[in-house]
Amino acid sequence: MKNVAVLGSTGSIGTNTLKVLRNNGERFHAIGLAAGRNVQRLAEQADEFRPSWVYAEGDVSSQRLPNDTQVLHSQDELCDAVAASDVDIVLCAISGTAGLKPVLAAIRAGKDIALASKEVLVMAGAIVTEACKKSGSKLLPVDSEHCAIFQCIDQHPADSVSRVILTCSGGPFHKRADINLATVTPEQALKHPTWNMGRKITIDSATLMNKGLEIIEAGWLFGMTEPQVEVVIHPQSIIHSMVEFKDASIVAQMGYPDMCLPIHYCLNYPERIPSVARPMDFSQSLNLTFEKPDTQRFPALDIAREAMRHGGAAGTVFNAANEVAVQRFCDGDIPFDCIPAIVRATLEKDASLPATTLDEILAADAIARRHAAAFAELKA
Ligand code: NDP
Protein backbone atom coordinates (compact mmCIF):
# COMPACT_ATOMS: atom_id res chain seq x y z
CA MET A 1 0.00 0.00 0.00
CA LYS A 2 1.45 3.38 -1.08
CA ASN A 3 0.43 6.54 0.77
CA VAL A 4 -0.16 9.29 -1.80
CA ALA A 5 -0.43 13.01 -0.99
CA VAL A 6 -2.50 14.66 -3.73
CA LEU A 7 -1.86 18.39 -4.10
CA GLY A 8 -4.45 20.14 -6.28
CA SER A 9 -6.97 17.34 -5.67
CA THR A 10 -10.01 19.39 -6.76
CA GLY A 11 -8.66 20.25 -10.23
CA SER A 12 -8.66 18.37 -13.51
CA ILE A 13 -5.48 16.33 -12.82
CA GLY A 14 -6.41 15.99 -9.14
CA THR A 15 -9.80 14.42 -9.88
CA ASN A 16 -8.22 12.11 -12.46
CA THR A 17 -5.67 11.12 -9.81
CA LEU A 18 -8.44 10.26 -7.37
CA LYS A 19 -10.09 8.21 -10.13
CA VAL A 20 -6.84 6.21 -10.45
CA LEU A 21 -6.65 5.78 -6.66
CA ARG A 22 -10.34 4.74 -6.54
CA ASN A 23 -9.67 2.08 -9.18
CA ASN A 24 -6.63 0.76 -7.33
CA GLY A 25 -7.88 0.93 -3.76
CA GLU A 26 -5.83 -2.10 -2.74
CA ARG A 27 -2.57 -0.38 -3.81
CA PHE A 28 -3.03 3.26 -2.80
CA HIS A 29 -4.29 5.36 0.10
CA ALA A 30 -4.84 9.13 -0.27
CA ILE A 31 -3.04 10.18 2.90
CA GLY A 32 -3.56 13.89 2.31
CA LEU A 33 -5.48 16.21 -0.02
CA ALA A 34 -4.66 19.85 -0.76
CA ALA A 35 -6.73 22.33 -2.73
CA GLY A 36 -7.28 26.01 -3.35
CA ARG A 37 -10.76 27.54 -3.02
CA ASN A 38 -13.12 24.68 -3.86
CA VAL A 39 -13.60 23.60 -0.24
CA GLN A 40 -16.92 21.89 -0.92
CA ARG A 41 -15.37 19.49 -3.42
CA LEU A 42 -12.43 18.98 -1.05
CA ALA A 43 -14.84 17.99 1.74
CA GLU A 44 -16.63 15.55 -0.59
CA GLN A 45 -13.28 14.02 -1.51
CA ALA A 46 -12.30 13.77 2.17
CA ASP A 47 -15.60 12.04 2.90
CA GLU A 48 -14.82 9.41 0.26
CA PHE A 49 -11.05 8.96 0.72
CA ARG A 50 -10.70 9.53 4.50
CA PRO A 51 -7.28 11.22 4.33
CA SER A 52 -5.21 11.88 7.48
CA TRP A 53 -5.08 15.59 6.58
CA VAL A 54 -6.52 18.22 4.25
CA TYR A 55 -5.27 21.68 3.35
CA ALA A 56 -7.06 24.47 1.46
CA GLU A 57 -6.28 28.06 0.60
CA GLY A 58 -9.95 28.76 1.18
CA ASP A 59 -11.80 28.47 4.50
CA VAL A 60 -12.78 24.85 5.27
CA SER A 61 -14.39 25.66 8.62
CA SER A 62 -17.90 25.63 7.10
CA GLN A 63 -17.39 22.07 5.78
CA ARG A 64 -18.14 18.75 7.49
CA LEU A 65 -14.95 16.69 7.51
CA PRO A 66 -14.33 13.18 8.85
CA ASN A 67 -13.49 13.25 12.58
CA ASP A 68 -10.05 11.74 12.09
CA THR A 69 -9.03 14.14 9.28
CA GLN A 70 -6.77 16.92 10.50
CA VAL A 71 -7.06 20.39 8.92
CA LEU A 72 -3.74 22.06 8.07
CA HIS A 73 -3.81 25.83 8.38
CA SER A 74 -0.74 27.10 6.52
CA GLN A 75 1.64 26.33 3.67
CA ASP A 76 4.30 25.58 6.31
CA GLU A 77 2.07 22.91 7.84
CA LEU A 78 1.47 21.52 4.35
CA CYS A 79 5.25 21.38 3.77
CA ASP A 80 5.70 19.47 7.05
CA ALA A 81 2.85 17.06 6.18
CA VAL A 82 4.25 16.11 2.74
CA ALA A 83 7.68 15.57 4.30
CA ALA A 84 6.36 13.30 7.08
CA SER A 85 7.48 9.68 7.29
CA ASP A 86 4.03 8.25 6.42
CA VAL A 87 4.01 9.81 2.90
CA ASP A 88 5.40 7.61 0.10
CA ILE A 89 4.79 9.76 -2.97
CA VAL A 90 3.51 13.29 -3.60
CA LEU A 91 1.48 14.03 -6.71
CA CYS A 92 1.57 17.76 -7.36
CA ALA A 93 -1.11 19.21 -9.64
CA ILE A 94 -1.47 22.67 -8.14
CA SER A 95 -1.84 25.19 -10.94
CA GLY A 96 0.65 28.06 -10.95
CA THR A 97 3.58 28.51 -8.62
CA ALA A 98 2.01 27.56 -5.26
CA GLY A 99 3.26 23.99 -5.68
CA LEU A 100 6.93 24.95 -5.51
CA LYS A 101 7.42 25.05 -1.71
CA PRO A 102 5.61 21.79 -0.86
CA VAL A 103 7.36 20.00 -3.75
CA LEU A 104 10.76 21.19 -2.52
CA ALA A 105 9.90 20.18 1.07
CA ALA A 106 8.92 16.69 -0.11
CA ILE A 107 12.05 16.31 -2.25
CA ARG A 108 14.29 17.39 0.63
CA ALA A 109 12.66 14.66 2.74
CA GLY A 110 13.48 12.12 -0.01
CA LYS A 111 9.91 11.60 -1.29
CA ASP A 112 9.26 10.62 -4.88
CA ILE A 113 7.29 13.25 -6.80
CA ALA A 114 4.74 12.68 -9.56
CA LEU A 115 4.85 16.14 -11.08
CA ALA A 116 2.05 17.62 -13.17
CA SER A 117 2.75 21.26 -12.21
CA LYS A 118 5.21 22.17 -14.95
CA GLU A 119 5.49 25.70 -13.47
CA VAL A 120 7.58 24.23 -10.64
CA LEU A 121 10.32 23.16 -13.07
CA VAL A 122 10.05 26.14 -15.40
CA MET A 123 10.33 28.50 -12.46
CA ALA A 124 12.97 26.74 -10.36
CA GLY A 125 14.36 23.84 -12.42
CA ALA A 126 17.95 24.22 -11.17
CA ILE A 127 16.99 24.13 -7.49
CA VAL A 128 14.46 21.32 -7.89
CA THR A 129 16.74 19.02 -9.91
CA GLU A 130 19.69 19.71 -7.60
CA ALA A 131 17.54 18.86 -4.56
CA CYS A 132 16.51 15.58 -6.24
CA LYS A 133 20.16 14.68 -6.85
CA LYS A 134 20.97 15.33 -3.20
CA SER A 135 18.05 13.43 -1.65
CA GLY A 136 17.69 10.66 -4.26
CA SER A 137 14.00 11.53 -4.92
CA LYS A 138 12.62 10.42 -8.26
CA LEU A 139 10.93 13.10 -10.35
CA LEU A 140 8.24 11.29 -12.36
CA PRO A 141 6.66 13.46 -15.05
CA VAL A 142 2.85 13.37 -15.22
CA ASP A 143 2.68 15.85 -18.11
CA SER A 144 1.71 13.46 -20.92
CA GLU A 145 4.50 14.52 -23.30
CA HIS A 146 7.23 14.23 -20.68
CA CYS A 147 5.80 11.00 -19.33
CA ALA A 148 6.00 9.68 -22.91
CA ILE A 149 9.64 10.78 -23.25
CA PHE A 150 10.47 9.29 -19.84
CA GLN A 151 9.02 5.95 -20.98
CA CYS A 152 10.81 6.09 -24.37
CA ILE A 153 14.22 6.87 -22.84
CA ASP A 154 13.68 4.16 -20.22
CA GLN A 155 17.08 2.80 -19.15
CA HIS A 156 19.06 4.35 -22.03
CA PRO A 157 21.90 6.65 -20.97
CA ALA A 158 21.22 10.38 -21.53
CA ASP A 159 24.06 10.65 -24.04
CA SER A 160 22.41 8.10 -26.34
CA VAL A 161 19.56 10.56 -27.04
CA SER A 162 20.02 12.99 -29.92
CA ARG A 163 16.73 14.88 -29.49
CA VAL A 164 13.28 14.73 -27.94
CA ILE A 165 10.22 15.55 -30.04
CA LEU A 166 7.27 17.04 -28.17
CA THR A 167 3.96 16.57 -29.92
CA CYS A 168 1.46 19.41 -29.81
CA SER A 169 -2.24 19.33 -30.71
CA GLY A 170 -1.97 22.87 -32.08
CA GLY A 171 -4.89 24.04 -29.93
CA PRO A 172 -8.20 25.42 -31.25
CA PHE A 173 -6.69 27.98 -33.67
CA HIS A 174 -4.22 25.84 -35.58
CA LYS A 175 -5.59 25.53 -39.14
CA ARG A 176 -7.97 28.43 -38.47
CA ALA A 177 -6.19 31.11 -40.46
CA ASP A 178 -9.65 32.67 -40.91
CA ILE A 179 -9.68 33.61 -37.19
CA ASN A 180 -8.11 36.94 -36.30
CA LEU A 181 -6.22 36.20 -33.05
CA ALA A 182 -6.74 39.80 -31.91
CA THR A 183 -10.49 39.16 -31.62
CA VAL A 184 -10.48 35.71 -29.97
CA THR A 185 -12.67 35.49 -26.82
CA PRO A 186 -11.84 33.47 -23.66
CA GLU A 187 -14.77 31.15 -24.53
CA GLN A 188 -13.22 30.37 -27.94
CA ALA A 189 -9.76 29.85 -26.43
CA LEU A 190 -11.18 27.52 -23.78
CA LYS A 191 -12.47 25.03 -26.40
CA HIS A 192 -9.60 22.57 -26.69
CA PRO A 193 -9.97 20.09 -29.55
CA THR A 194 -8.57 16.96 -27.84
CA TRP A 195 -7.89 17.46 -24.09
CA ASN A 196 -10.22 18.40 -21.24
CA MET A 197 -8.07 20.42 -18.80
CA GLY A 198 -8.07 23.30 -16.29
CA ARG A 199 -8.59 26.89 -17.54
CA LYS A 200 -5.03 28.17 -17.40
CA ILE A 201 -3.44 25.26 -19.29
CA THR A 202 -6.26 25.37 -21.87
CA ILE A 203 -5.53 29.03 -22.68
CA ASP A 204 -1.80 28.16 -22.74
CA SER A 205 -2.58 25.44 -25.28
CA ALA A 206 -4.34 27.98 -27.49
CA THR A 207 -1.38 30.43 -27.46
CA LEU A 208 1.14 27.50 -27.57
CA MET A 209 2.65 28.94 -24.36
CA ASN A 210 1.95 25.50 -22.88
CA LYS A 211 4.32 23.95 -25.41
CA GLY A 212 6.81 26.73 -24.63
CA LEU A 213 6.64 25.82 -20.93
CA GLU A 214 7.08 22.17 -21.92
CA ILE A 215 10.23 22.92 -23.96
CA ILE A 216 11.82 24.36 -20.81
CA GLU A 217 10.40 21.54 -18.66
CA ALA A 218 11.96 18.93 -21.01
CA GLY A 219 15.33 20.66 -20.68
CA TRP A 220 15.29 20.24 -16.90
CA LEU A 221 13.83 16.74 -16.81
CA PHE A 222 16.03 15.13 -19.45
CA GLY A 223 19.14 17.35 -19.49
CA MET A 224 18.43 18.57 -23.04
CA THR A 225 19.75 21.75 -24.59
CA GLU A 226 17.35 24.07 -26.44
CA PRO A 227 18.12 22.78 -29.96
CA GLN A 228 17.60 19.19 -28.77
CA VAL A 229 13.92 19.85 -27.97
CA GLU A 230 11.76 19.86 -31.08
CA VAL A 231 8.04 20.52 -31.37
CA VAL A 232 5.79 18.97 -33.97
CA ILE A 233 2.08 19.60 -34.48
CA HIS A 234 0.15 16.34 -34.19
CA PRO A 235 -3.55 17.28 -34.05
CA GLN A 236 -4.80 13.77 -33.15
CA SER A 237 -2.92 13.73 -29.78
CA ILE A 238 -2.33 9.97 -30.12
CA ILE A 239 1.47 10.01 -30.10
CA HIS A 240 2.28 11.76 -26.84
CA SER A 241 5.93 12.43 -27.73
CA MET A 242 9.01 10.77 -29.21
CA VAL A 243 12.70 10.31 -28.61
CA GLU A 244 15.34 10.11 -31.32
CA PHE A 245 18.44 8.15 -30.38
CA LYS A 246 21.95 8.67 -31.78
CA ASP A 247 21.42 5.83 -34.29
CA ALA A 248 18.45 7.79 -35.78
CA SER A 249 15.86 5.37 -34.38
CA ILE A 250 12.76 7.13 -33.11
CA VAL A 251 10.77 5.62 -30.23
CA ALA A 252 7.25 6.95 -29.59
CA GLN A 253 4.64 6.39 -26.89
CA MET A 254 0.99 6.38 -27.93
CA GLY A 255 -2.53 5.99 -26.58
CA TYR A 256 -5.86 7.82 -26.60
CA PRO A 257 -5.69 11.20 -24.86
CA ASP A 258 -6.48 10.42 -21.21
CA MET A 259 -4.48 11.86 -18.31
CA CYS A 260 -5.35 8.85 -16.15
CA LEU A 261 -2.71 6.89 -18.07
CA PRO A 262 0.38 9.01 -17.22
CA ILE A 263 -0.92 9.42 -13.65
CA HIS A 264 -1.33 5.64 -13.34
CA TYR A 265 2.15 5.11 -14.81
CA CYS A 266 3.83 7.50 -12.36
CA LEU A 267 2.03 6.19 -9.28
CA ASN A 268 2.85 2.57 -10.14
CA TYR A 269 6.37 3.20 -11.46
CA PRO A 270 8.32 1.05 -12.20
CA GLU A 271 5.56 -1.58 -12.31
CA ARG A 272 3.19 -1.98 -15.27
CA ILE A 273 -0.26 -3.06 -14.11
CA PRO A 274 -3.73 -2.85 -15.77
CA SER A 275 -5.15 0.69 -15.94
CA VAL A 276 -8.51 2.33 -16.62
CA ALA A 277 -7.25 3.60 -20.01
CA ARG A 278 -9.04 2.49 -23.19
CA PRO A 279 -6.79 0.21 -25.29
CA MET A 280 -6.03 1.39 -28.84
CA ASP A 281 -8.44 0.04 -31.41
CA PHE A 282 -6.48 -0.66 -34.61
CA SER A 283 -9.56 -2.04 -36.38
CA GLN A 284 -10.58 1.63 -36.84
CA SER A 285 -8.50 3.57 -39.37
CA LEU A 286 -6.04 5.84 -37.66
CA ASN A 287 -4.67 8.83 -39.49
CA LEU A 288 -1.64 10.31 -37.74
CA THR A 289 -0.29 13.57 -39.15
CA PHE A 290 2.70 15.75 -38.29
CA GLU A 291 3.29 19.38 -39.23
CA LYS A 292 5.70 22.16 -38.48
CA PRO A 293 4.35 24.74 -35.98
CA ASP A 294 3.55 28.22 -37.32
CA THR A 295 5.88 30.35 -35.20
CA GLN A 296 4.86 33.57 -36.98
CA ARG A 297 1.26 33.29 -35.84
CA PHE A 298 2.18 31.64 -32.52
CA PRO A 299 5.42 33.30 -31.30
CA ALA A 300 5.27 31.57 -27.87
CA LEU A 301 7.62 28.77 -28.93
CA ASP A 302 10.39 31.17 -30.01
CA ILE A 303 9.99 33.22 -26.83
CA ALA A 304 10.31 30.06 -24.71
CA ARG A 305 13.42 29.07 -26.65
CA GLU A 306 14.96 32.49 -25.96
CA ALA A 307 14.17 32.04 -22.25
CA MET A 308 15.72 28.56 -22.23
CA ARG A 309 18.89 29.73 -23.96
CA HIS A 310 19.19 32.67 -21.55
CA GLY A 311 18.80 30.49 -18.43
CA GLY A 312 18.97 32.03 -14.93
CA ALA A 313 15.78 33.89 -14.05
CA ALA A 314 14.37 33.71 -17.59
CA GLY A 315 12.19 30.63 -16.91
CA THR A 316 10.78 32.23 -13.75
CA VAL A 317 10.06 35.47 -15.61
CA PHE A 318 8.55 33.68 -18.64
CA ASN A 319 6.18 31.73 -16.40
CA ALA A 320 5.20 34.67 -14.16
CA ALA A 321 4.54 37.06 -17.07
CA ASN A 322 2.46 34.44 -18.85
CA GLU A 323 0.32 33.82 -15.76
CA VAL A 324 -0.39 37.54 -15.41
CA ALA A 325 -1.18 37.96 -19.13
CA VAL A 326 -3.48 34.90 -19.20
CA GLN A 327 -5.41 36.20 -16.19
CA ARG A 328 -5.84 39.63 -17.81
CA PHE A 329 -7.05 38.00 -21.03
CA CYS A 330 -9.54 35.83 -19.10
CA ASP A 331 -10.75 38.97 -17.31
CA GLY A 332 -11.48 40.51 -20.72
CA ASP A 333 -8.86 43.26 -20.27
CA ILE A 334 -6.42 42.49 -23.09
CA PRO A 335 -6.63 40.87 -26.54
CA PHE A 336 -5.50 37.26 -26.95
CA ASP A 337 -2.59 38.15 -29.24
CA CYS A 338 -1.11 40.49 -26.60
CA ILE A 339 -0.25 37.55 -24.31
CA PRO A 340 3.05 36.70 -26.08
CA ALA A 341 3.91 40.39 -26.49
CA ILE A 342 3.61 40.91 -22.71
CA VAL A 343 5.75 37.84 -21.98
CA ARG A 344 8.44 38.98 -24.43
CA ALA A 345 8.54 42.55 -23.03
CA THR A 346 8.81 41.23 -19.44
CA LEU A 347 11.58 38.82 -20.41
CA GLU A 348 13.55 41.64 -22.04
CA LYS A 349 13.28 43.62 -18.82
CA ASP A 350 13.78 40.95 -16.15
CA ALA A 351 15.56 37.87 -17.56
CA SER A 352 18.87 38.88 -15.96
CA LEU A 353 17.58 39.19 -12.39
CA PRO A 354 19.53 37.03 -9.91
CA ALA A 355 17.99 33.56 -9.50
CA THR A 356 20.36 31.18 -7.75
CA THR A 357 18.50 30.81 -4.44
CA LEU A 358 14.84 30.15 -3.68
CA ASP A 359 14.46 33.66 -2.23
CA GLU A 360 15.94 35.20 -5.39
CA ILE A 361 13.58 33.13 -7.56
CA LEU A 362 10.55 34.19 -5.53
CA ALA A 363 11.72 37.82 -5.75
CA ALA A 364 12.21 37.54 -9.55
CA ASP A 365 8.72 36.02 -9.82
CA ALA A 366 7.21 38.96 -7.90
CA ILE A 367 9.11 41.60 -9.91
CA ALA A 368 8.17 39.98 -13.23
CA ARG A 369 4.49 39.88 -12.18
CA ARG A 370 4.59 43.62 -11.40
CA HIS A 371 6.23 44.46 -14.72
CA ALA A 372 3.93 42.16 -16.70
CA ALA A 373 0.92 43.84 -15.05
CA ALA A 374 2.29 47.23 -16.12
CA PHE A 375 2.81 46.02 -19.71
CA ALA A 376 -0.72 44.57 -19.68
CA GLU A 377 -2.06 47.95 -18.55
CA LEU A 378 -0.55 49.53 -21.69
CA LYS A 379 -2.42 46.99 -23.87
CA ALA A 380 -5.76 47.25 -22.00
P1 NDP B 1 -6.97 23.02 -12.51
O1 NDP B 1 -7.13 24.49 -12.60
O2 NDP B 1 -8.07 22.15 -12.98
O3 NDP B 1 -6.64 22.60 -11.00
C1 NDP B 1 -5.70 23.29 -10.21
C2 NDP B 1 -5.68 22.73 -8.82
O4 NDP B 1 -4.77 23.51 -8.02
C3 NDP B 1 -7.04 22.82 -8.12
O5 NDP B 1 -7.20 21.71 -7.27
C4 NDP B 1 -6.90 24.09 -7.28
O6 NDP B 1 -7.77 24.14 -6.19
C5 NDP B 1 -5.47 23.92 -6.82
N1 NDP B 1 -4.87 25.13 -6.30
C6 NDP B 1 -4.80 26.34 -6.88
N2 NDP B 1 -4.13 27.20 -6.08
C7 NDP B 1 -3.77 26.50 -4.98
C8 NDP B 1 -3.04 26.81 -3.80
N3 NDP B 1 -2.57 28.05 -3.58
N4 NDP B 1 -2.84 25.84 -2.88
C9 NDP B 1 -3.32 24.59 -3.08
N5 NDP B 1 -4.01 24.22 -4.19
C10 NDP B 1 -4.23 25.18 -5.12
O7 NDP B 1 -5.61 22.69 -13.28
P2 NDP B 1 -5.17 21.33 -13.98
O8 NDP B 1 -5.52 20.18 -13.12
O9 NDP B 1 -5.58 21.34 -15.39
O10 NDP B 1 -3.59 21.51 -14.00
C11 NDP B 1 -2.82 21.40 -12.81
C12 NDP B 1 -1.35 21.41 -13.16
O11 NDP B 1 -1.08 20.29 -13.96
C13 NDP B 1 -0.93 22.63 -13.98
O12 NDP B 1 0.36 22.97 -13.61
C14 NDP B 1 -0.95 22.15 -15.41
O13 NDP B 1 -0.03 22.83 -16.22
C15 NDP B 1 -0.52 20.70 -15.21
N6 NDP B 1 -0.98 19.79 -16.25
C16 NDP B 1 -2.32 19.63 -16.48
C17 NDP B 1 -2.79 18.78 -17.46
C18 NDP B 1 -4.25 18.53 -17.69
O14 NDP B 1 -4.59 17.68 -18.52
N7 NDP B 1 -5.14 19.18 -17.00
C19 NDP B 1 -1.84 18.05 -18.32
C20 NDP B 1 -0.47 18.25 -17.96
C21 NDP B 1 -0.06 19.10 -16.98
P3 NDP B 1 -9.28 24.74 -6.28
O15 NDP B 1 -9.90 24.22 -7.52
O16 NDP B 1 -9.89 24.18 -5.04
O17 NDP B 1 -9.17 26.23 -6.25
Side-chain angles (χ1 to χ4, degrees), residues 7-16 34-39 41-42 45 55-58 75 78 92-99 102 115-120 142-145 195-202 204 210 213-214 217 259 262:
L7 313 186
S9 64
T10 50
S12 164
I13 293 287
T15 47
N16 275 319
R37 308 253 149 228
N38 194 346
V39 290
R41 185 175 294 171
L42 181 67
Q45 293 176 339
Y55 167 81
E57 275 284 292
Q75 261 236 346
L78 176 62
C92 182
I94 294 179
S95 54
T97 49
L115 188 66
S117 309
K118 57 195 88 187
E119 298 89 343
V120 165
V142 169
D143 213 352
S144 59
E145 293 78 358
W195 291 99
N196 184 11
M197 310 178 284
R199 278 173 78 82
K200 158 75 171 39
I201 186 174
T202 307
D204 285 347
N210 181 50
L213 293 164
E214 289 179 5
E217 184 186 9
M259 285 309 296

Side-chain angles (χ1 to χ4, degrees), residues 289-306:
T289 59
F290 304 96
E291 295 162 52
K292 202 169 159 307
D294 179 351
T295 49
Q296 289 286 314
R297 200 155 172 253
F298 299 98
L301 298 180
D302 286 344
I303 302 173
R305 290 188 182 285
E306 283 164 32

Side-chain angles (χ1 to χ4, degrees), residues 65-117:
L65 290 165
N67 286 340
D68 43 3
T69 296
Q70 186 196 350
V71 177
L72 308 179
H73 295 287
S74 66
Q75 261 236 346
D76 285 347
E77 285 184 17
L78 176 62
C79 289
D80 289 344
V82 294
S85 58
D86 51 3
V87 172
D88 295 310
I89 182 164
V90 176
L91 184 138
C92 182
I94 294 179
S95 54
T97 49
L100 177 58
K101 282 187 178 170
V103 163
L104 269 178
I107 292 173
R108 287 175 179 148
K111 310 295 174 190
D112 289 343
I113 310 289
L115 188 66
S117 309

Side-chain angles (χ1 to χ4, degrees), residues 57-374:
E57 275 284 292
D59 180 10
V60 286
S61 60
S62 58
Q63 303 297 316
R64 268 176 77 93
L65 290 165
N67 286 340
D68 43 3
T69 296
Q70 186 196 350
V71 177
L72 308 179
H73 295 287
S74 66
Q75 261 236 346
D76 285 347
E77 285 184 17
L78 176 62
C79 289
D80 289 344
V82 294
S85 58
D86 51 3
V87 172
D88 295 310
I89 182 164
V90 176
L91 184 138
C92 182
I94 294 179
S95 54
T97 49
L100 177 58
K101 282 187 178 170
V103 163
L104 269 178
I107 292 173
R108 287 175 179 148
K111 310 295 174 190
D112 289 343
I113 310 289
L115 188 66
S117 309
K118 57 195 88 187
E119 298 89 343
V120 165
L121 275 175
V122 173
M123 182 184 181
I127 290 184
V128 170
T129 50
E130 189 53 38
C132 282
K133 260 189 224 145
K134 256 197 198 150
S135 71
S137 295
K138 283 191 221 40
L139 205 51
L140 302 161
V142 169
D143 213 352
S144 59
E145 293 78 358
H146 304 77
C147 188
I149 292 168
F150 185 84
Q151 293 178 62
C152 295
I153 294 180
D154 198 20
Q155 308 290 332
H156 295 283
D159 65 0
S160 64
V161 174
S162 55
R163 59 184 172 141
V164 298
I165 302 138
L166 296 170
T167 53
C168 172
S169 72
F173 308 125
H174 169 69
K175 292 249 185 227
R176 293 298 309 270
D178 56 312
I179 292 184
N180 176 358
L181 294 183
T183 63
V184 158
T185 62
E187 291 68 34
Q188 286 174 301
L190 283 167
K191 281 201 187 102
H192 195 277
T194 49
W195 291 99
N196 184 11
M197 310 178 284
R199 278 173 78 82
K200 158 75 171 39
I201 186 174
T202 307
I203 303 289
D204 285 347
S205 299
T207 54
L208 298 204
M209 279 293 173
N210 181 50
K211 213 46 60 178
L213 293 164
E214 289 179 5
I215 292 174
I216 302 172
E217 184 186 9
W220 288 116
L221 280 168
F222 308 113
M224 295 289 128
T225 59
E226 181 270 312
Q228 284 180 292
V229 186
E230 198 160 312
V231 172
V232 63
I233 302 288
H234 169 51
Q236 299 81 16
S237 300
I238 294 288
I239 291 189
H240 298 307
S241 278
M242 305 178 253
V243 173
E244 185 188 70
F245 291 92
K246 289 259 164 78
D247 59 4
S249 266
I250 291 188
V251 177
Q253 186 262 340
M254 61 198 283
Y256 294 120
D258 177 358
M259 285 309 296
C260 285
L261 188 50
I263 293 166
H264 170 95
Y265 175 81
C266 290
L267 292 181
N268 285 293
Y269 180 83
E271 276 184 89
R272 294 271 189 185
I273 63 159
S275 78
V276 289
R278 187 160 62 103
M280 292 284 323
D281 179 2
F282 288 102
S283 69
Q284 305 295 312
S285 65
L286 195 59
N287 191 17
L288 303 182
T289 59
F290 304 96
E291 295 162 52
K292 202 169 159 307
D294 179 351
T295 49
Q296 289 286 314
R297 200 155 172 253
F298 299 98
L301 298 180
D302 286 344
I303 302 173
R305 290 188 182 285
E306 283 164 32
M308 187 169 172
R309 283 195 300 271
H310 189 286
T316 312
V317 172
F318 177 84
N319 177 63
N322 182 50
E323 276 190 29
V324 170
V326 169
Q327 188 57 53
R328 295 298 298 267
F329 166 68
C330 288
D331 292 344
D333 297 338
I334 59 162
F336 180 79
D337 64 346
C338 284
I339 297 174
I342 290 167
V343 176
R344 177 165 266 146
T346 315
L347 259 181
E348 279 166 9
K349 199 168 175 61
D350 295 330
S352 297
L353 287 168
T356 40
T357 64
L358 182 58
D359 284 346
E360 286 175 349
I361 286 172
L362 295 174
D365 177 80
I367 293 169
R369 279 170 201 273
R370 269 206 311 279
H371 289 153

